[in-house]
Amino acid sequence: MTTGSIIALDIVIAVLAAASWLAAGATAATTALSAAGVSEPADTADHGRAGTASRRRLAIGLAVVAVIAILARVVTTIVLIRAGWWFAAEKVLIAGPLALAALLVAGPRVVRWVKGGRPPVVALLFAGYAQTAAVLVTVLHGYPVSSAAVLLAFGGVGGATMVTWRLAGPPPGRAVSRAPVVVTVAVITAGLVLVVAQRPAPAVPHAHGSVAEPAVAEPTRRFTLTAGTATVRADGREIEAWAFNGQVPGPPLTATVGDVLEVTLRNRDIDRGVTLHWHGYDVPNSQDGVPGVTQAAVLPGEEFVYRFQADQAGTYWYHTHAVSDIGVRKGLYGALVVQPSGTQVRDPAARGTGIEVIVPVHTLDGRSLPEAVEDTADAGTPVRLRLINTDSTTHRYALTGAAFRVAAVDGVDLNRPSALLNTAVLIPAGGRYDLTFTAPATPVGLFVDGRVVWSTGPVAVPPQAWPVLDLLTYGGSVPNPLPRADREFTLVLDRGLDMHGFLPRYAHTVNGAADPDIAPQVVRSGESVVFTIVNRSLVVHPWHLHGHHVLVLSRDGERARGSPLLLDSFDVRPGEVWKVAFRADNPGMWANHCHNLAHADQGMILHLLYG
Ligand code: C2O
Ligand code: CU
């Protein structure tokens, strides 16, 4: 079982324990009422006694289920501790003591009830509250454990139990003495004060122009991209989109290493503003296109001119970074392809020495782009498919009819990639893979999630059962003396309750906080930096650091053994722990976020800055 499935199982078990205690308590309460003669008229008393006995059995059975669930949770917690303390901290420090209290209070009383004592209504409900608090701490709070969470969990259970005692305690003597009331109120108040007091100051001083405009030579390639609302056709349907130059995707921008690109961005009528971010292209900070961090969003009628030197070859893409979740989804994106120096800028349609096809996959208003293309390729022609995933979720790609290599990932060539046959590849949100092969005499087809997007003749859908390529063991390794880390950061990804102003929201969090409250990561120029990225949540987080490619060191403790992997977008799946390293060689203030853009929008974005 993967750590991700243990995380899910653990939550299911915890919910089961809470529900069982609560149901046992409620059932016990009905037997207590009928024992007191409250609900049964006299003529149904016999009937009533039989019913009471069966409800008593039911309540005791439920309590037994709860105890078994708690024992099972001991096992899942131990497994999670072994996967990493991040996965288990709050289970050990908060849920554990609460579960233990539930057992100690309810257990002996249930045993006495079995032997003929009174139904332990309040004890069972107390156990239910304690176990409910344990679930809430995992689901709403997570890592790291805060003293506020401890106080609120324990205070909440105490308060609920006192109210229950007052309503359903064994008569007489339902009064609650003053001391526990005072303590509970104090504990809850202290917890609330800490929630407010511990909110970090806004993390990023959002200063503009912190980095001097780099001196860039005269442009050799000029483009203009005008953002505007547009009606585009996809799949035979008209779609209201946001488009660059009236088309989705926007025009592909092409260049050769050494070119100086000048891209003029204009906004015709996108009210919420637009920018251009060069995804995976490690441009100077001032050209990075993050509104509120490196520039202001370009509003309708305005323009912004980007200028940077093309010094990385490979497959990249551009997209708006203003209201990026909506903007990219609605169509504000396009491909950026840079050829190695010495090669000509290609017209995407030109053939010559080989075939190159750019395949930017996107979901536009429920329609899958690009539409299928049937192409021709003479046998022996070299083909390069530049695959770009511009969606917020992973896509599965499969090539049938030819052995292929993954020549490059995220724009960077792999070392000695081997030929692959009948193998699928998973590309994370934002990621790019270049597949290369020599066209055979028979048809070849590229499929995305089982849908053909490019082919050279009739092809059958490849089986879903194909193995998936693991990049960590693909290609040839190089002796790769790791630079000693000068600085290390841990990012624990999760969901949790976050105060957004005074509105609580269920945010996507990093280290227990959501944007803009996540502490920035401060590095110095020249340092080698290591990130440990831990996914405690139940969903995939495609991680993306701006301005730098990161070298993958390990996943779940297993060293990367294939070609060096320099990525800018990688999927951290539930329960996974990735270690990546990079050289701090591009000063500025950089976004570091989940590229499921809805997650980023709901808090999962922080900043790397040079101090
Ligand atoms: Cu393609 Cu900040 O993202
Ligand atoms: Cu995410």
Side-chain angles (χ1 to χ4, degrees):
M1 262 182 123
T2 62
T3 306
S5 45
I6 301 281
I7 293 172
L9 179 66
D10 177 75
I11 292 177
V12 171
I13 293 172
V15 169
L16 178 69
S20 304
W21 282 133
L22 291 173
T27 312
T30 65
T31 68
L33 290 178
S34 48
V38 174
S39 59
E40 317 275 349
D43 58 335
T44 59
D46 274 353
H47 220 184
R49 254 191 297 282
T52 304
S54 74
R55 273 178 310 200
R56 179 166 165 275
R57 272 197 304 277
L58 174 62
I60 291 169
L62 285 165
V64 170
V65 170
V67 172
I68 293 171
I70 287 178
L71 296 179
R73 210 177 178 210
V74 171
V75 177
T76 54
T77 302
I78 289 171
V79 175
L80 291 175
I81 293 172
R82 298 189 49 181
W85 178 244
W86 319 282
F87 296 112
E90 90 291 357
K91 299 175 180 67
V92 174
L93 298 176
I94 304 184
L98 287 168
L100 190 65
L103 279 180
L104 292 179
V105 170
R109 288 174 173 80
V110 170
V111 171
R112 256 177 270 146
W113 190 24
V114 171
K115 293 186 184 147
R118 263 205 314 240
V121 176
V122 179
L124 287 168
L125 289 174
F126 161 78
Y129 303 148
Q131 197 60 44
T132 303
V135 173
L136 291 180
V137 162
T138 286
V139 173
L140 300 182
H141 180 67
Y143 185 88
V145 172
S146 73
S147 36
V150 173
L151 293 172
L152 290 176
F154 288 90
V157 171
T161 306
M162 277 184 279
V163 171
T164 307
W165 178 271
R166 194 82 183 80
L167 299 174
R174 282 181 177 172
V176 180
S177 52
R178 190 159 294 166
V181 175
V182 171
V183 170
T184 302
V185 170
V187 166
I188 292 177
T189 311
L192 291 174
V193 167
L194 283 181
V195 168
V196 176
Q198 284 178 343
R199 295 194 55 215
V204 177
H206 287 177
H208 297 204
S210 55
V211 174
E213 202 73 18
V216 178
E218 264 306 290
T220 53
R221 301 277 290 165
R222 287 194 164 88
F223 302 92
T224 299
L225 295 177
T226 303
T229 54
T231 307
V232 299
R233 279 193 83 76
D235 230 359
R237 201 166 62 96
E238 313 239 290
I239 294 173
E240 294 306 318
W242 293 358
F244 286 120
N245 299 359
Q247 62 182 88
V248 175
L253 307 187
T254 54
T256 300
V257 165
D259 272 330
V260 173
L261 273 74
E262 183 183 273
V263 184
T264 304
L265 169 67
R266 297 207 172 100
N267 182 354
R268 205 183 55 228
D269 62 351
I270 305 295
D271 293 336
R272 306 183 66 174
V274 292
T275 65
L276 288 174
H277 169 59
W278 313 99
H279 184 115
Y281 222 71
D282 300 330
V283 297
N285 193 239
S286 59
Q287 309 302 302
D288 197 43
V290 178
V293 178
T294 66
Q295 67 170 99
V298 176
L299 297 175
E302 296 180 350
E303 71 170 41
F304 189 95
V305 180
Y306 297 87
R307 222 189 243 197
F308 57 90
Q309 173 123 17
D311 45 17
Q312 297 162 256
T315 309
Y316 302 88
W317 62 300
Y318 62 86
H319 62 81
T320 183
H321 218 288
V323 283
S324 58
D325 177 29
I326 301 170
V328 176
R329 202 152 20 90
K330 281 183 160 286
L332 291 174
Y333 71 94
L336 168 65
V337 172
V338 180
Q339 299 292 341
S341 58
T343 28
Q344 284 294 307
V345 169
R346 288 168 171 273
D347 170 350
R351 294 286 147 122
T353 53
I355 297 177
E356 286 208 8
V357 185
I358 304 175
V359 188
V361 165
H362 193 78
T363 309
L364 186 67
D365 198 16
R367 304 287 151 141
S368 299
L369 297 179
E371 286 173 35
V373 171
E374 193 164 317
D375 208 340
T376 52
D378 295 337
T381 313
V383 180
R384 178 178 288 255
L385 303 178
R386 297 181 180 271
L387 313 182
I388 309 175
N389 180 358
T390 71
D391 274 330
S392 272
T393 50
T394 314
H395 285 301
R396 181 180 186 275
Y397 298 71
L399 186 76
T400 62
F404 66 97
R405 290 167 210 275
V406 178
V409 174
D410 287 357
V412 182
D413 286 348
L414 297 189
N415 183 43
R416 291 189 283 114
S418 54
L420 298 166
L421 192 63
N422 298 352
T423 304
V425 297
L426 296 179
I427 305 187
R432 289 91 54 217
Y433 282 27
D434 287 14
L435 308 190
T436 58
F437 59 95
T438 304
T442 48
V444 174
L446 174 69
F447 290 77
V448 179
D449 303 326
R451 179 181 78 86
V452 69
V453 291
W454 181 86
S455 63
T456 58
V459 279
V461 180
Q464 190 57 39
W466 279 7
V468 169
L469 173 67
D470 183 3
L471 281 183
L472 267 73
T473 55
Y474 181 64
S477 63
V478 296
N480 183 8
L482 275 185
R484 229 177 29 81
D486 298 308
R487 218 173 269 277
E488 299 202 36
F489 296 99
T490 301
L491 296 92
V492 179
L493 315 180
D494 203 353
R495 291 208 80 167
L497 203 60
D498 174 64
M499 294 302 286
H500 195 50
F502 283 98
L503 287 179
R505 60 171 177 170
Y506 196 42
H508 288 274
T509 58
V510 181
N511 298 339
D515 182 56
D517 298 330
I518 307 171
Q521 304 168 315
V522 184
V523 299
R524 281 183 196 289
S525 234
E527 284 180 338
S528 94
V529 184
V530 170
F531 283 173
T532 302
I533 307 180
V534 180
N535 187 348
R536 254 186 66 107
S537 78
L538 298 173
V539 291
V540 177
H541 296 296
W543 205 256
H544 174 55
L545 169 64
H546 285 211
H548 308 74
H549 275 67
V550 300
L551 175 72
V552 177
L553 305 179
S554 68
R555 181 188 58 213
D556 297 341
E558 187 195 320
R559 284 282 294 270
R561 284 179 283 124
S563 162
L565 282 177
L566 284 160
L567 308 181
D568 57 62
S569 307
F570 50 98
D571 271 345
V572 184
R573 297 192 182 81
E576 282 185 348
V577 178
W578 286 64
K579 262 187 193 293
V580 301
F582 64 94
R583 172 76 58 196
D585 56 3
N586 197 1
M589 190 181 296
W590 301 100
N592 184 18
H593 64 95
C594 178
H595 216 280
N596 182 320
L597 296 173
H599 295 179
D601 196 43
Q602 292 162 52
M604 200 169 256
I605 176 161
L606 69 160
H607 297 84
L608 174 80
L609 22 133
Y610 284 62

